[in-house]
Amino acid sequence: MTYRRAAIPALTGGLLLTALLWWAGASVDALHLPGSDGTLGVEAVTELRRWLAPWAYDPPAFLDAGAAVSGYVGDTTGGDDRDFYGGLYTTGLQIRFGAVFVSFVLGALLLLRRLPPVRERTTAAFLALWAWSAVAGTLAVTLSAPWLIASTGHGSYRFLPQLANVIASGRQLPVAVGLLVAGATVLVARITAGDAGRTKRNDVPARPARLAATAGTAVIALSLVVLSYQSVSAALQEFSPAGGLLSEPGDLLRQWLVLGAWTGPQGGPLGDWLLYRASDVLLLVVVWWALRRLPGLLTRATLPAMAVGAVCATVLGLLASQLLRIVVIRTSSDQDLLYSTAPLGNGIPAALVLGLVAGATTALVLRASLRGTPAPGA
């Protein structure tokens, strides 16, 4: 599928994702209406506000210059700088919505170019675009974070922990709306695919493909098994080599390198511990299976395509493991459904970093394994 044909569905998906996130953020005021707590429930309303607040365009109340509200900003000379800080907040939101559009379009262009949604690739393209919607949301939140931190008036105070806290927000909504965006993008792409439907699957030998998938999955397992162990992740979080603006990077490092959290079966039933570990196993299984099939599904297994595909595979594995945990929690407690989805999307920054490394590793190992291998039918 050419970039010209892929541009139309990619732009359509980017516009739809941006519009849905903006519309959802604009709806947060409706949750403050009288009766919302009684209709939806206090826990559901609180969780919905947490979902929507990072995408709400209106500045917080403490940035309203006409309101007598104590906030985080102040001026030692007695003036009121809330207009200035409100401008920073507005700029940050503009960057956030612009970044989510650009991030999705760039990723979707590459995915649709190498993974056109025709024949047996349709489901794979849908899942990849859904995962990339969540990644685009994370990238947008990350790029806009400095402006939003500065708008509180305390941007120089513990900047890296604040940055980690902002990056951790706004993850659930792109995951939810990404399903609709991926479906619409695939539908438009099938219409514009043209002669991409005649593209055959690559015939990749099974042994090199399994070896490459195992090497890529090992990168994910390093984070999930080693770095996610409680004592290791705690040491990573406490890492702080120097003072100043860039001190205390531990929270940020954990955000971008650690996919989960686990410890030994201490003080609880072994069955419950094994049930939670099953979600980690599911993540690795999904990643290995996706990396095993990815070279055959791509029209050409280039390094960028493998890297972005591995990111999507890691995000899908992460979401599958989190959905399994939500089901386990729902069956063993009386938590509200929306409240139990709070962990949804955790770890996507780490999935982005580790997925890129895993994809590059898979591509390089596959390329090395295929050297000297006779072509099929030779």
Side-chain angles (χ1 to χ4, degrees):
M1 192 173 184
T2 63
Y3 280 120
R4 187 179 63 179
R5 291 183 183 274
I8 297 175
L11 289 171
T12 301
L15 288 171
L16 182 60
L17 177 62
T18 307
L20 287 174
L21 291 175
W22 182 87
W23 172 79
S27 303
V28 71
D29 289 338
L31 298 176
H32 296 282
L33 295 175
S36 59
D37 289 347
T39 303
L40 300 175
V42 176
E43 287 187 348
V45 169
T46 301
E47 192 61 30
L48 278 174
R49 286 174 183 165
R50 214 153 64 98
W51 278 40
L52 302 180
W55 303 96
Y57 202 84
D58 293 334
F62 67 81
L63 291 178
D64 186 358
V69 179
S70 61
Y72 299 104
V73 295
D75 189 349
T76 56
T77 64
D80 192 344
D81 290 336
R82 283 183 288 185
D83 283 338
F84 170 73
Y85 289 112
L88 287 176
Y89 184 89
T90 301
T91 300
L93 263 294
Q94 290 171 346
I95 292 172
R96 178 166 295 185
F97 285 107
V100 77
F101 172 77
V102 173
S103 299
F104 180 86
V105 170
L106 293 178
L109 273 174
L110 181 58
L111 288 170
L112 293 172
R113 162 80 167 154
R114 298 300 179 193
L115 193 65
V118 291
R119 294 184 178 179
E120 68 275 10
R121 294 187 177 98
T122 302
T123 302
F126 170 78
L127 292 174
L129 290 168
W130 177 37
W132 190 254
S133 299
V135 174
T138 296
L139 289 173
V141 170
T142 303
L143 292 173
S144 61
W147 283 267
L148 297 179
I149 292 172
S151 71
T152 65
H154 296 286
S156 60
Y157 174 70
R158 301 186 74 227
F159 175 72
L160 293 184
Q162 287 189 80
L163 184 61
N165 185 58
V166 173
I167 293 172
S169 66
R171 61 188 185 277
Q172 297 102 333
L173 193 58
V175 172
V177 303
L179 284 169
L180 179 59
V181 171
T185 305
V186 165
L187 181 62
V188 176
R190 286 184 66 90
I191 297 173
T192 62
D195 57 357
R198 296 194 291 271
T199 305
K200 295 182 180 180
R201 288 188 55 182
N202 294 324
D203 189 6
V204 181
R207 189 171 180 275
R210 286 195 294 265
L211 179 63
T214 302
T217 306
V219 175
I220 307 301
L222 176 65
S223 172
L224 192 63
V225 178
V226 179
L227 297 182
S228 296
Y229 189 63
Q230 190 176 50
S231 59
V232 179
S233 60
L236 186 67
Q237 188 168 4
E238 293 171 358
F239 175 71
S240 185
L245 185 64
L246 299 181
S247 64
E248 302 179 83
D251 288 336
L252 194 62
L253 288 174
R254 185 170 179 174
Q255 190 78 239
W256 290 96
L257 296 176
V258 179
L259 278 170
W262 69 281
T263 186
Q266 302 170 357
L270 180 61
D272 291 348
W273 183 84
L274 291 174
L275 194 57
Y276 276 94
R277 300 288 70 75
S279 62
D280 297 334
V281 174
L282 177 61
L283 192 161
L284 294 176
V285 169
V286 170
V287 170
W288 186 90
W289 179 81
L291 293 180
R292 164 67 179 85
R293 289 179 54 86
L294 190 59
L297 289 172
L298 294 172
T299 56
R300 186 182 174 193
T302 61
L303 183 61
M306 288 293 294
V308 173
V311 170
C312 295
T314 308
V315 172
L316 288 173
L318 194 65
L319 293 177
S321 68
Q322 290 167 354
L323 289 173
L324 177 60
R325 288 195 180 188
I326 290 171
V327 171
V328 171
I329 292 173
R330 285 283 296 161
T331 55
S332 59
S333 69
D334 296 329
Q335 281 188 1
D336 181 82
L337 176 60
L338 192 61
Y339 184 77
S340 63
T341 61
L344 192 65
N346 277 344
I348 288 179
L352 173 59
V353 173
L354 297 167
L356 290 173
V357 178
T361 302
T362 304
L364 294 175
V365 172
L366 180 65
R367 190 173 300 175
S369 301
L370 290 176
R371 286 175 184 169
T373 303

